[in-house]
Each structure stands twice: as C-alpha cells, then as structure tokens.
Amino acid sequence: MPKEITTLVTFFGATGDLAKRKLYPSVYNLYKKGFLVEHFGILGTSRAELSTKQFQVMVHDSIKEFMNEEAPQDFLKHFDYQRADITTPEDYAPLKALIEEMDEKFALKGNRIFYMSVAPRFFGTVAKLLKSEGLLSENGEFNRLMIEKPFGSDYETAEKLNNELSHAFSEDQVYRIDHYLGKEMVQNIAALRFGNPMFTKSWNRDSIDNIQVTLSETLGVEDRAGYYDTAGALRDMIQNHTMQIVGWLAMDEPATWTDRDIRIAKNAAFNSLKIYTPDEVAENFVRGQYGPNAIGTQVGYLDEKDVPADSQNNTFVAGKLQFDSYRWQGVPFYIRTGKRLAAKTTRIDIVFKKDYNLFDSNQPLSNDVLTIIIDPEGRIEYKIAAKATTAEFKTRPITLKWKASDEDKAQTPEPYERMIHDTMDGNGSNFADWNGVAVAWKFVDAVQSAWDSVHQDFPNYVSGTMGPAASDELLEREDREWIYKG
Ligand SMILES: NC(=O)C1=CN([C@@H]2O[C@H](COP(=O)(O)OP(=O)(O)OC[C@H]3O[C@@H](n4cnc5c(N)ncnc54)[C@H](OP(=O)(O)O)[C@@H]3O)[C@@H](O)[C@H]2O)C=CC1
Ligand SMILES: O=C1O[C@H](COP(=O)(O)O)[C@@H](O)[C@H](O)[C@H]1O
C-alpha cells in the first residue's frame, strides 16, 4: 500500500511550460497511485489573474493535453490559485493567507513544499521573501524547497545563490533538481553496483580499465540560443547531469542506504576529483561545435537562429576525469556530450581490464564491458568471453542482454513524478547537494577559463557524427577507444 503523504505544494510559475507539461501530470500520477489522497493541497501562483475555477480548468487541460486523461473534480478540488508578483514583498501576504486557509481545509499539518518553477534569476529572491514574509510553517513537520536548474552559471554565481537560499533553508531542506537523477536507469547504477557481489568487489582500479559516460543528442540548439550560447555543452550537460551520473559511479559504498550517507559517500568521491590546470585542460579536454550535416539539410551552429556569427560556444565536449583516490587511481572516466550527434542515447560503458588468455597466449582476451543504457530505453548489456562454437577451443565475446519490458516501462515513474514524490517523502538521495554542485562548478570553470583564453577554429564536426576527430584521439593516444561509435 502506498504511504499517504500530507502536504501543501506551492508552485511558483504555475502558468509556465514546465508546470503544465510535467508538474501537474506528475501530481496527478501521485494521486492515482494513492500517495495523495485527502490531505494534500496544490497552490499555484504567477502574475496572471486567474480565479480558482480557471486555474483548475488549466490544470485539467494540461493533464488532458499531456496525458490524454480526464482528471476528476475530486482531484482538482485540491488546487487553488493566488496571483502574485514574486519580486513584490506585499504580494506574499495573500499567498500566506491562502496557504493557511488550505492548510486548515485539507488538514495539512503545516507541512510545506515550495517549488520554484520560475526563471533562475528569481530563485534567491523567492527564498528570501518566503522567510521574511512568514510563509514558512513554524509548527509543521517540514518546509522544503524544490529548485529548478540551472543552479548558477559558474561557481561564483552558484555560491551566491546557495548563500541566499541558506538564509531561509538549511541544506537538508533544499531539493536541487537534476532530472537525470530521476531517471530509472540512473537509479539502477546503485542496484547494479551494490546489489551484485561480483560488481561490488570489482568496482575499482584492480578490475576496471576505464569508464565511459556518453550523453549524446541529435537535436541542435533549437530556439534556445539566448541561453545555450552562454552555456554550451560544458555548462548545460557536463556540470550537472554528467557529473551527477559520475557521482553514482565513482562513490564508495555508503555506510547505510539513507540520503545522508549516500551524500557523504558521493561527496568523498567528488572531493577527490582532480581540478585541472590550463595545460591539463588542453591535454584532457576537447571541445567541438557542429557544422552542417553531410547532405546539407541541417545548418551548422553558426547559422542557427540568434547565434552570433563568431560564436566560440561549444556544442560538444569530451574529456577525461581523474580521481585522486585509492579506488580510482589510474582509472580514467571518459565523458562526452554534444548536440547534433549521430544518435540520441545516454549510456555508461564500464570497461573491465583484459586478463591473461589461458587458452591462447598469442591472442589477448577482449575487455569485458558492462553497459547501462539510460535512454532512449532502459537496457543492460554485459559483454563477456565464452567458447566459440567451433571444434577448436577458442573464446569469442558474447553479450548478455536485458531490456525494460513494456510492463516495466508502464510502471516506471517519470523523473518529475519521482522527484516530487521523493521531496514529499523527505528523501534527498536523488537530488544534487551543494558540495557536489560546487565541485562540479569548480571543475567546469577551470575548463571554461582555459578555453576562453584560446581561440579555436569552428565548426570542427559534421552534424550527424560522434563529434570531432580529437574526441577519438583523446582515447586512442591511451590505446583505448569509445565503446559506443554512433
Ligand atoms: N520547460 C521545461 O521543459 C524546463 C524548464 N526548466 C526550468 O523550470 C523553470 C521554469 O521554466 P518554464 O516553465 O519553461 O518557464 P516559463 O517561462 O514557461 O514560465 C515561467 C513562469 O514564471 C512566472 N513568472 C515570471 N515572472 C514572474 C514574476 N515576476 N512573478 C511571478 N511569476 C512570474 C510566469 O507567469 P507570469 O508571466 O504570468 O507571471 C510563468 O508561470 C526554469 O527555471 C527553467 O530553467 C527545467 C527543465 C525543463
Ligand atoms: O537539461 C537539459 O537536458 C536536455 C536533455 O535531456 P534528456 O532527458 O532529453 O536527455 C538537453 O536537451 C538540454 O539542452 C539541457 O538543458
């Protein structure tokens, strides 16, 4: 039986794209699954003038549009709305009054979640005003803050934002969203690592040759050049999603399976990440920018809408991470991400060390590889050696495969549903904590600042390929290759 959760969730940015596409459908799923029953309230706010009824109709229509389902009145009656400009302190008084009214009406015990689904420039202001205008409950079990990305645009801005949040919320009250951490197969990393003694015991430099993390996209910049040209693949995908995946891969066993101990273990790994000097960046990192595709049907980045003609922005990044730790000494973590690549896929390849070939000392065994495919669909593959089906005794690589079934997929929660549920449940395991975010920014800032001082000729890869040649060379010069070739 699902455990009923008692809480009020206030959605700032209640009329926005994210709220309609993801947040209301997620809340509806939690209702259908029985996590939200009687004692919940959803308060929406933005600058738009909407009555309670109009807001309920908007929520109904979002669920219809994005889930093709009719939400019942029994669900919608838990939604209410208050207009407010979040930069105006006086507008918080009516919000506070409605929060208190809903708290009483639905018997919510003062439990409060505030979800910031607004532009990042508002995050600090809202947190400050929530406290100064008295919207945090003093008698409830919890006040929690869910905060969207991006969390800063470099270490300095992230630290400033974190300081602003910390005036109102302690670290354990802040749930920093990274939607990759809500993905089923990212959560499967821990199950595979710590649920199989064979992997638990071999997850270290004795057995692993290298680890590869690929987040590849086929889409280009679309209509987001205003943001993307200031961020690039490095800040858009490496600082957050890639680093958070790496955190699950690189951490030691947590002392217990609690969010506190998981964070302690992950942070020990993050803190051992080597931050590069400019020379080390040049040696270990590659940047790219897409040109047109081979048949000329897709334009290059520089010809995309709103992109400056001389942009030095990166749409592709490949690099090598190194951890100064006992577990990972000498084991490279190769990471790469980019737009307009050959395929949409997110995957992890764990490449095990080759061993002596007992059967034929002239013919080295091939590496065993454990592959975790996160997107576009959950799959696990394990390439191992087995006997070739010939008269002579020889080995050949075979691949054991598992794929998420339709039933698995149907019962897997969407990342946003899971993240809202986990916040309601007070489980911060699948959220980014400040230390991890800070280390990732320090690392990424070092790479960006080295790149900023050197002009690079772009474009340097053809749309529809797996990035510039330098990305392959990064591994080739260490006698390795990307397992996934597109
Ligand atoms: N959309 C998406 O798919 C994703 C979004 N995000 C993040 O989610 C957040 C929201 O994004 P998204 O929904 O796309 O943005 P939208 O621009 O669609 O929505 C912004 C919301 O903020 C409200 N708003 C703007 N200014 C104010 C103000 N001064 N006072 C009160 N409310 C205000 C708007 O309503 P009004 O103008 O009526 O006030 C609107 O409801 C951002 O941080 C974004 O980075 C993250 C991942 C994916
Ligand atoms: O955060 C972001 O992620 C998307 C990719 O997410 P996915 O779940 O579809 O893999 C990326 O396209 C976008 O640029 C970035 O901001």
Side-chain angles (χ1 to χ4, degrees):
M1 275 293 280
K3 187 176 96 189
E4 184 189 350
I5 294 168
T6 299
T7 190
L8 176 85
V9 185
T10 302
F11 285 117
F12 291 95
T15 54
D17 175 68
L18 182 70
K20 290 181 190 164
R21 275 194 313 114
K22 300 283 183 192
L23 306 183
Y24 304 138
S26 297
V27 172
Y28 186 46
N29 273 333
L30 292 174
Y31 173 80
K32 285 196 303 178
K33 289 178 183 171
F35 293 110
L36 300 177
V37 187
E38 277 301 318
H39 304 292
F40 75 99
I42 307 292
L43 168 54
T45 179
S46 79
R47 287 170 305 179
E49 291 285 1
L50 292 180
S51 65
T52 302
K53 186 70 200 158
Q54 285 169 322
F55 181 53
Q56 291 177 354
V57 169
M58 197 197 83
V59 172
H60 171 274
D61 292 351
S62 312
I63 290 169
K64 179 79 188 156
E65 181 178 355
F66 297 105
M67 300 173 81
N68 199 22
E69 289 187 42
E70 297 283 348
Q73 191 51 35
D74 251 9
F75 169 72
L76 295 170
K77 73 180 187 199
H78 291 263
F79 285 70
D80 213 332
Y81 183 84
Q82 173 60 49
R83 188 216 160 266
D85 182 328
I86 48 180
T87 60
T88 307
E90 297 73 47
D91 282 6
Y92 283 68
L95 272 179
K96 180 177 181 205
L98 185 51
I99 286 175
E100 284 165 1
E101 188 187 317
M102 291 176 78
D103 195 308
E104 201 169 311
K105 179 171 170 191
F106 296 115
L108 304 179
K109 298 185 181 163
N111 297 344
R112 292 182 192 165
I113 293 173
F114 301 93
Y115 192 124
M116 291 208 218
S117 182
V118 289
R121 66 179 183 284
F122 295 126
F123 294 164
T125 311
V126 176
K128 192 174 122 218
L129 291 173
L130 282 174
K131 177 155 187 188
S132 65
E133 304 312 304
L135 275 70
L136 303 183
S137 127
E138 279 164 12
N139 55 2
E141 285 164 31
F142 57 80
N143 288 290
R144 295 179 185 139
L145 181 73
M146 294 186 78
I147 183 160
E148 267 299 337
K149 58 156 240 182
F151 199 92
S153 52
D154 56 19
Y155 177 72
E156 205 178 308
T157 51
E159 190 188 34
K160 179 168 173 284
L161 170 59
N162 202 54
N163 288 340
E164 286 167 353
L165 299 186
S166 64
H167 290 309
F169 294 91
S170 58
E171 177 62 21
D172 64 352
Q173 293 176 312
V174 179
Y175 291 74
R176 291 180 199 79
I177 291 170
D178 185 309
H179 77 279
Y180 271 63
L181 289 176
K183 293 189 185 227
E184 176 69 13
M185 293 303 291
V186 172
Q187 301 192 357
N188 218 330
I189 298 170
L192 276 172
R193 277 195 62 181
F194 304 123
N196 297 288
M198 176 175 73
F199 293 136
T200 309
K201 291 191 170 62
S202 59
W203 211 265
N204 53 46
R205 65 184 153 100
D206 295 336
S207 304
I208 293 181
D209 180 81
N210 72 91
I211 292 183
Q212 305 181 9
V213 181
T214 300
L215 284 69
S216 107
E217 297 190 82
T218 49
L219 290 179
V221 63
E222 307 297 294
D223 55 2
R224 297 167 71 215
Y227 152 73
Y228 193 79
D229 199 64
T230 64
L234 184 66
R235 289 186 272 225
D236 186 49
M237 294 292 280
I238 298 284
Q239 187 278 337
N240 41 29
H241 311 316
T242 313
M243 287 297 194
Q244 289 301 324
I245 292 174
V246 166
W248 274 120
L249 294 167
M251 68 191 277
D252 283 355
E253 294 80 4
T256 66
W257 197 245
T258 56
D259 52 359
R260 185 178 161 275
D261 284 339
I262 290 169
R263 285 178 175 196
I264 289 172
K266 270 195 201 165
N267 283 331
F270 281 130
N271 293 342
S272 69
L273 179 68
K274 187 167 164 29
I275 310 283
Y276 289 142
T277 62
D279 284 347
E280 288 167 336
V281 170
E283 205 178 305
N284 294 303
F285 264 76
V286 167
R287 58 181 156 157
Q289 190 188 85
Y290 62 83
N293 64 351
I295 52 170
T297 52
Q298 282 172 338
V299 297
Y301 180 72
L302 295 178
D303 289 316
E304 297 273 23
K305 185 166 148 277
D306 300 332
V307 171
D310 58 350
S311 173
Q312 278 282 292
N313 191 30
N314 58 84
T315 63
F316 176 93
V317 175
K320 176 167 109 172
L321 306 181
Q322 297 172 71
F323 290 92
D324 280 330
S325 69
Y326 186 77
R327 180 184 290 265
W328 294 121
Q329 195 58 51
V331 180
F333 282 57
Y334 299 111
I335 56 174
R336 65 181 162 164
T337 187
K339 298 231 181 253
R340 283 259 190 270
L341 298 184
K344 168 72 188 170
T345 187
T346 305
R347 58 184 276 152
I348 300 159
D349 294 286
I350 314 290
V351 184
F352 289 91
K353 287 189 163 154
K354 287 180 184 169
D355 207 347
Y356 171 70
N357 190 348
L358 174 69
F359 315 113
D360 181 354
S361 54
N362 297 318
Q363 171 97 32
L365 289 169
S366 61
N367 302 87
D368 289 357
V369 180
L370 174 67
T371 299
I372 303 167
I373 297 165
I374 296 159
D375 283 322
E377 62 171 4
R379 276 173 25 216
I380 297 169
E381 299 185 355
Y382 189 26
K383 180 169 86 66
I384 55 172
K387 185 184 167 299
T389 51
T390 53
E392 335 159 74
F393 196 98
K394 279 191 165 175
T395 62
R396 62 167 178 172
I398 60 158
T399 304
L400 312 179
K401 294 182 180 177
W402 169 86
K403 178 168 109 148
S405 65
D406 289 345
E407 198 187 337
D408 290 330
K409 285 181 207 161
Q411 66 187 14
T412 300
E414 282 285 309
Y416 274 93
E417 178 190 330
R418 197 188 304 257
M419 292 184 296
I420 293 173
H421 170 267
D422 287 359
T423 306
M424 290 174 167
D425 199 30
N427 177 0
S429 308
N430 292 303
F431 293 85
D433 87 331
W434 168 239
N435 183 73
V437 171
V439 171
W441 274 125
K442 284 179 188 164
F443 183 87
V444 155
D445 284 356
V447 175
Q448 187 67 52
S449 114
W451 284 348
D452 285 345
S453 61
V454 182
H455 179 90
Q456 168 123 15
D457 287 335
F458 289 131
N460 62 352
Y461 71 96
V462 175
S463 282
T465 65
M466 280 309 285
S471 162
D472 294 334
E473 288 156 16
L474 185 72
L475 276 71
E476 278 159 14
R477 63 170 188 255
E478 297 182 342
D479 243 358
R480 299 186 174 102
E481 59 181 1
W482 291 107
I483 298 295
Y484 181 69
K485 299 189 172 51

